[in-house]
Amino acid sequence: NEVGIEMKNMGSPVRVGKMDATSFSSIASEFGVRGYPTIKLLKGDLAYNYRGPRTKDDIIEFANRVAGPLIRPLPSQHMFEHVRKRHRVFFVYVGGESPLKEKYIEVASELIVYTYFFSASEDMLPEYLTLPELPAVVVFKDGTYFVYDEYEDGDLSSWINRERFQGYLTVDGFTLYELGDTGKLVAIAVIDDKNSSVEHTRLKSIIQEVARDYRDHFHRDFQFGHMDGNDYINSLLMDDLTIPTIVVLNTSNQQYFLPDRHIENTEDMVQFINNILDGTAEAQGGDGVLQRIKRIVYDAKSTVVSVFKSSPLLGCFLFGLPLGVISIMCYGICTADTDGGVDEHEAVKKENSDRELTDDGSEEEKEEEKNGKYAELSDGELKQKDLLEKKKD
């Protein structure tokens, strides 16, 4: 809302709006919306994704940069100095038509969302700038300039993507995410900005000196900066780093390096970086199976702890209610099995008792039948005896 109001007051041709993607899911799918909030700038047939900090000023700068010309001309030295004062990092193509310029335009169409691209003739640049040959692509940053060398720097797109950051940065989670595209290792002094003690300022100064004085040695492989506080870095490394300290991150595979001894000066830091480059420094972390399992456990633990810290009652409700329901269900299952077993035992016992009674009754009946047979046989004998006696008589 603030961006829309300010850009309208500026007279910008960019119109600002919003859309509920849950109500217009087909449009969201057409533009590849995968998360909320998503900020896009539509220009002709192209849709540019905003991936910068979520602040009003940064969003306005993004809108003005993308909405304007892809390659901005620098018609005079005065205009060049104005641009240099206004932008911390910008790129300039110097020369006429060439295959390099075509490639420059192609890269600019992709990376305009991050930085500014200009073009100028050689006589429009300050006298102190010397170029080995023309055409050339130059990046201005950190109070100086660096010329693209195809043989040393490789692909133009990769070079611009690496050089679009200042040599020294204040690093946060978003910056680390962006640096992941550069393929560089990130050397960070983890300090407390509010702490003005000698140790905190000393480590920050060491990183700044290495970034400035050893740029030619390390700028292709390393990005330098400092981070305020250790909360984010602890969650990233799943470790508990005490500050101040120095850590080097490999954002491509989630490995990290810690110095094996205390960093006292710039020479110690340079030696630590060289050990990483030659493979003698021990790498920790990574993205293996065990680390992924550890990450799942760590995230689950962190979530539970954060919930209970922020709202104990809510934590008890969220975790206590399911546990209570599960306990009642288990108790009911166990109780039902026990009662069923007792009833079944009683039924079996009763059945056996009835069967014994039935068997006993059968024996008595058999005895009575036997006695009856004996009685019948005795009467017959008596009759036969009487008949014989009568025949005798």
Side-chain angles (χ1 to χ4, degrees), residues 183-187 210 214-224 248-250 255-257 268-283:
K184 290 185 178 182
L185 300 175
V186 187
V210 173
Y214 292 84
R215 173 188 158 80
D216 292 339
H217 296 84
F218 301 133
H219 80 279
R220 289 185 176 86
D221 300 305
F222 281 85
Q223 176 67 50
F224 299 92
V248 176
L249 303 176
N250 187 338
Q255 288 184 339
Y256 64 96
F257 302 86
D268 289 342
M269 186 65 200
V270 171
Q271 182 60 47
F272 176 45
I273 293 175
N274 285 327
N275 291 341
I276 294 173
L277 291 176
D278 61 27
T280 57
E282 181 184 0

Side-chain angles (χ1 to χ4, degrees), residues 129-143:
L129 191 148
T130 58
L131 300 175
E133 61 180 359
L134 292 178
V137 177
V138 186
V139 58
F140 292 86
K141 65 177 184 178
D142 302 330

Side-chain angles (χ1 to χ4, degrees), residues 43-114:
K43 182 180 179 182
D45 296 331
L46 300 176
Y48 295 90
N49 289 323
Y50 177 67
R51 296 175 61 182
R54 301 296 175 89
T55 66
K56 181 189 70 173
D57 293 338
D58 287 300
I59 295 174
I60 290 175
E61 184 182 3
F62 161 79
N64 290 331
R65 181 171 65 247
V66 177
L70 187 64
I71 308 294
R72 291 170 165 83
L74 295 175
S76 65
Q77 290 188 12
H78 176 74
M79 179 62 70
F80 173 83
E81 293 299 332
H82 173 75
V83 169
R84 185 167 187 175
K85 291 178 182 178
R86 183 175 179 184
H87 303 298
R88 291 170 295 194
V89 180
F90 64 96
F91 294 85
V92 180
Y93 172 84
V94 184
E97 298 296 326
S98 68
L100 181 61
K101 184 175 183 179
E102 294 178 2
K103 182 64 177 178
Y104 182 73
I105 294 173
E106 179 185 341
V107 174
S109 65
E110 177 186 356
L111 300 181
I112 187 66
V113 294
Y114 299 118

